[in-house]
Amino acid sequence: MPGITLHTGNRLEVLADALAAVLRAPLPDPFSPETVIVQSRGMERWLSMKIARANGIFARMRFPFPNAAMQELFNGVLVTPDDDGAFSRETLTWRLMEILPACAGKAGFATVRAYLGEATGPLGLFQLAGRLADMFDQYITYRPDMVLGWE
């Protein structure tokens, strides 16, 4: 990856047209894909059609989500990543399943304690941990300032 170009704006159509213009210039290596970070599969589909319409062709594009793109960048920079995917939703779900029962008895966790008391065993714990992991994942994407504040 030779570099990152960041385009910002408040009109999606204008940004898509600018992206199509950038993509008209071929990469030095015809086999390496262009990478565009998107927030949803719907955005990926819309951009694909918009670029194909503007340029007459659409090929060799990657559309990773922000977390996947950041993980790729970290893996490219770090010689030996300590814990690949340590903060993925799946891994975080299992970590929270370990932590939640111990936290349930503490002050401030009355809601967690009540939910786990009503939940049907490990399935309820798994569902709660999954929902929390998903929420933390969204905080990282949409509210990074809050996550940095927790540090």
Side-chain angles (χ1 to χ4, degrees), residues 1 19 23 31-38 41 44 47-48 51 58-65 68-70 72-73:
M1 177 186 309
L19 175 62
L23 295 176
F31 296 108
S32 62
E34 290 276 6
T35 302
V36 177
I37 300 170
V38 294
R41 291 292 168 224
E44 172 185 347
L47 273 175
S48 300
I51 293 166
F58 175 79
R60 297 298 294 160
M61 292 288 295
R62 292 180 54 245
F63 291 99
F65 288 149
M70 294 308 295
E72 284 179 33
L73 286 173

Side-chain angles (χ1 to χ4, degrees), residues 76-134:
V77 172
L78 300 174
V79 177
T80 55
D82 291 344
D83 196 2
D84 193 26
F87 295 102
S88 70
R89 260 185 240 165
E90 295 79 16
T91 304
L92 197 52
T93 298
W94 292 105
R95 287 182 171 191
L96 286 168
M97 280 185 71
E98 288 179 44
I99 296 169
L100 281 173
C103 291
K106 296 180 180 178
F109 285 88
T111 308
V112 173
R113 186 171 41 255
Y115 179 83
L116 292 177
E118 295 171 7
T120 56
L123 178 61
L125 176 61
F126 178 74
Q127 290 171 335
L128 177 61
R131 296 281 309 254
L132 288 171
D134 185 51

